Amino acid sequence: MAGSKEQFGSRFAAIAALAGSAIGLGNIWRFPYMVGENGGAAFILIYIASSLFLSVPVFFAEFIIGRHSGANCFGAMKRLAPGTRWNLLGILCILTPTLILSYYAVVGGWSISYLFKSFTLAFPSFGSFSSSGWALAAFVIYLALSCLIVAGGVKNGIEAFSKVSIPLLFFLIIGLAIYSVTLEGGSSGIDYILKPDWSKVGVRTFVNAIGQSFYSISLGMGIIITYASYISKKESIVFSGVGTAGFDLFFALLAGFVIMPAVFAAGIEPGSGPGLIFDTLPYIFVSMNEASPVLATVVAVAFFLTVSIAALTSSVSLVEVPVAWLIEEKQMKRSSATLLVFAVTGIIGALCAINLGIFDWLDKVCCNILLPIGGILCVIFVGWIMKKGDVRDEFNSKLFPFAYFLIKYLAPVAVAVIFLSNFL
């Protein structure tokens, strides 16, 4: 149904793009913290189970919608459920990534700015920088860079960037992990991540694991639907889903081995959120500078280069969702569509950059309300609205009966639990 529509050129290109949408800042700061606060290795086991049995089925549902329709989020609903209110799901899947991009690009701007500052190790306090005019300028630069990549098209822009950035990301994070775990006192950071503490495991642990997996794999925001419309029918949906989840988990674990050993080696109490990256770790690099200026600079640059690339791989996928809608539904040229998305998200993001209260509010609305609703509606649509034969043909695997059960029954309940837990 895609016709002459652009497609990814290979299986590696498709997986790289999907993995890029999943790998982002959440892997670098949130996952290590969640692991330590929720039982260490016990949380990791729960996280893996959550990914395989809950998040991956939601991924399958969104993938099926996108590839079977061969269209953007809104166009997919028009083709698969014409004349119904399901077009509201398409609108939601365009609105959500647009809003997320607006404030996510603010954090991306911080990462770009700190990358440049890492060459001189002249880091300001995070509080003073985040409220400065430089933060606003960095946001604009970062957003423009994300949009420029998307303006290049599916193959020459997104695919070309993903095929280079994902291998580079893993090369950088593996090198940083090797260095970090060898630091004196770093073993406490390793224990923080890997030591099982079953006393911390409770109902909230399961909710946290499901939520982290769900959000990390970019579910409920239209990205998988959009990217799947660019993927050939020959590609395995099982390989795409499990491969994306696997790369995401592997990168998150590596990020944990980078950050926590360094934090514990420096004798700093681990925290969560942007402060851990932009406030705590720079002090570690500065203290390293006293012993070895060259090594401190190399490690700092490598770290913030990793953070910046990880942020870009996610923001590029966020930009593509509304751009695809404008191209396919409004017949706009890709360059014009990208420019319009840049303008809209630039206005909203500027408000987030100068007022972190708006930033926090928008983040809570998107993550706690819009994403779960989008995920629930996608699995309900595939499990209860689409013809089972169409779903089976798209899935094309012996695992279909089991996967279909997860999509139709288990996933909606699990996502609903995540949604309701935010209000309890």
Side-chain angles (χ1 to χ4, degrees), residues 92 95-96 99 220 364-375 419:
L92 176 64
L95 174 65
T96 302
L99 294 176
K364 290 178 181 178
V365 169
C366 290
C367 292
N368 297 346
I369 299 176
L370 300 184
L371 289 182
I373 291 176
F419 178 70

Side-chain angles (χ1 to χ4, degrees), residues 142-402:
Y142 175 87
L143 182 61
L145 184 57
S146 302
C147 290
L148 279 174
I149 294 172
V150 172
V154 174
K155 294 197 68 172
N156 296 327
I158 299 171
E159 178 178 325
F161 174 69
S162 300
K163 288 169 69 174
V164 173
S165 61
I166 295 303
L168 178 59
L169 261 181
F170 278 96
F171 173 78
L172 288 169
I173 201 74
I174 289 172
L176 286 169
I178 292 173
Y179 171 77
S180 189
V181 298
T182 60
L183 293 172
E184 184 178 353
S187 59
S188 297
I190 298 174
D191 290 340
Y192 183 84
I193 296 173
L194 293 182
K195 185 178 179 180
D197 185 355
W198 296 102
S199 66
K200 293 183 179 180
V201 175
V203 175
R204 191 68 193 174
T205 307
F206 286 86
V207 173
N208 287 338
I210 295 170
Q212 173 67 18
S213 173
F214 187 82
Y215 302 136
S216 185
I217 304 177
S218 301
L219 303 178
M221 59 183 76
I223 292 174
I224 307 304
I225 294 176
T226 303
Y227 275 13
S229 71
Y230 304 141
I231 296 177
S232 168
K233 298 284 187 179
K234 298 178 182 178
E235 300 301 330
S236 166
I237 185 176
V238 175
F239 184 86
S240 297
V242 176
T244 300
F247 277 123
D248 179 70
L249 173 63
F250 184 46
F251 186 87
L253 288 173
L254 288 172
F257 285 116
V258 171
I259 294 174
M260 289 308 167
V263 169
F264 277 85
I268 299 172
E269 187 67 23
S272 66
L276 183 62
I277 298 177
F278 300 108
D279 216 355
T280 304
L281 289 179
Y283 284 110
I284 297 175
F285 300 140
V286 171
S287 64
M288 288 172 56
N289 186 48
E290 299 176 1
S292 178
V294 174
L295 180 61
T297 301
V298 169
V299 174
V301 170
F303 177 77
F304 283 110
L305 178 61
T306 303
V307 173
S308 299
I309 296 175
L312 271 175
T313 59
S314 292
S315 61
V316 164
S317 60
L318 291 168
V319 174
E320 179 62 17
V321 177
V323 166
W325 168 65
L326 290 170
I327 293 173
E328 297 175 23
E329 302 300 319
K330 305 302 180 182
Q331 288 74 51
M332 292 182 66
K333 293 182 179 180
R334 176 170 284 271
S335 58
S336 301
T338 308
L339 185 60
L340 178 58
V341 172
F342 172 78
V344 172
T345 54
I347 294 172
I348 301 173
L351 296 175
C352 296
I354 62 178
N355 189 325
L356 293 184
I358 297 176
F359 179 106
D360 292 335
W361 178 81
L362 202 56
D363 180 48
K364 290 178 181 178
V365 169
C366 290
C367 292
N368 297 346
I369 299 176
L370 300 184
L371 289 182
I373 291 176
I376 291 173
L377 292 177
C378 283
V379 289
I380 290 176
F381 182 80
V382 173
W384 296 91
I385 305 300
M386 285 185 67
K387 295 179 181 178
K388 186 174 182 179
D390 290 340
V391 178
R392 182 189 293 109
D393 292 342
E394 197 63 48
F395 200 85
N396 193 25
S397 170
K398 294 180 180 179
L399 295 175
F400 172 73
F402 179 60

